[in-house]
Amino acid sequence: MTAAEPTTHDSPDDERAQSPRRRGTATDLAQIAVFAALIAALGLPGALYLGGTAVPITFQTLGVMLAGAILGARKGFLSVLLLIALVAAGLPLLSGGRGGLGVFVGPSVGYLLGWLLGALVIGWATARLLPKYPILPALLWTALGGIVAIYLVGVPVFAAITGTPLGVALTGSLVFLPGDLVKVVITVLVAKGVHRAWPGLIAPKQWPWKREKPVTASA
């Protein structure tokens, strides 16, 4: 007769320690899914093509900016990545009912991929603007992420796919600028209200060039 193998059970302390972690993960996943759905929903009004451009003007960039400004860099990036993955799987989640792998060989694919960089930049900066979240710096950083970063990827890719000179492609992209500036203002005003009402959505962080002074013990 052999002795029974000892069994291990999680103590109540272990369960209490794991429970907040599980709740946090579930909350993160829910937030990522909600903002992916928000970006998709903002494509429902459709797309507007101006001046014969092959890249549509949509409200979806507003959702990308909001994802970065409200969820932060990691969750904002993942919400955009989730949307892109669903589009690649064939779901018509982009403005005008576009979806499928064909989107990724079209002239607007650079802007779509630029959304990832835009959400990262906005989320990274927002964490360092909190808890105060001053309006003017928030506007500047949101414009940097939501406009400059996205154009930085979108314009060269558009030029390469269409065979358009880079300077011409950059000039043509200026048609998007007024609408994108409005989206920046909306994003900052909404994010300001959200972070005031629900502090802690993004953990505040220090700018990398600002270091805390070491505390020295007094005699």
Side-chain angles (χ1 to χ4, degrees):
M1 183 175 179
T2 59
E5 295 182 359
T7 58
T8 59
H9 299 282
D10 291 336
S11 67
D13 288 341
D14 292 337
E15 291 178 0
R16 282 194 294 268
Q18 292 172 6
S19 182
R21 191 180 305 121
R22 286 196 294 266
R23 285 198 299 268
T25 301
T27 301
D28 289 351
L29 292 175
Q31 291 172 350
I32 290 166
V34 165
F35 272 81
L38 172 64
I39 299 170
L42 288 171
L44 293 178
L48 178 63
Y49 293 85
L50 293 180
T53 178
V55 180
I57 296 175
T58 78
F59 290 106
Q60 291 186 294
T61 312
L62 173 61
V64 173
M65 295 183 193
L66 287 169
I70 293 175
L71 296 185
R74 181 180 65 86
K75 291 186 286 186
F77 176 89
L78 290 175
S79 65
V80 177
L81 184 63
L82 174 59
L83 176 83
I84 292 175
L86 294 173
V87 169
L91 297 183
L93 300 180
L94 297 181
S95 59
R98 294 173 298 135
L101 294 178
V103 171
F104 296 89
V105 295
S108 64
V109 63
Y111 290 92
L112 179 62
L113 298 178
W115 288 356
L116 294 166
L117 179 60
L120 274 176
V121 171
I122 294 171
W124 182 89
T126 300
R128 286 153 180 83
L129 293 172
L130 291 172
K132 293 182 178 180
Y133 197 70
I135 291 292
L136 184 56
L139 287 170
L140 293 174
W141 277 101
T142 304
L144 181 63
I147 298 176
V148 176
I150 294 176
Y151 287 24
L152 190 65
V153 181
V155 172
V157 173
F158 172 85
I161 290 177
T162 61
T164 305
L166 186 58
V168 174
L170 181 59
T171 302
S173 70
L174 296 180
V175 71
F176 306 124
L177 193 55
D180 285 340
L181 288 172
V182 172
K183 295 170 192 173
V184 167
V185 174
I186 294 172
T187 296
V188 171
L189 293 178
V190 171
K192 179 79 171 178
V194 169
H195 290 304
R196 184 186 295 120
W198 293 284
L201 282 174
I202 301 176
K205 295 183 180 179
Q206 266 199 329
W207 296 102
W209 53 83
K210 289 185 178 180
R211 301 294 181 187
E212 291 184 356
K213 294 181 180 179
V215 179
T216 57
S218 58

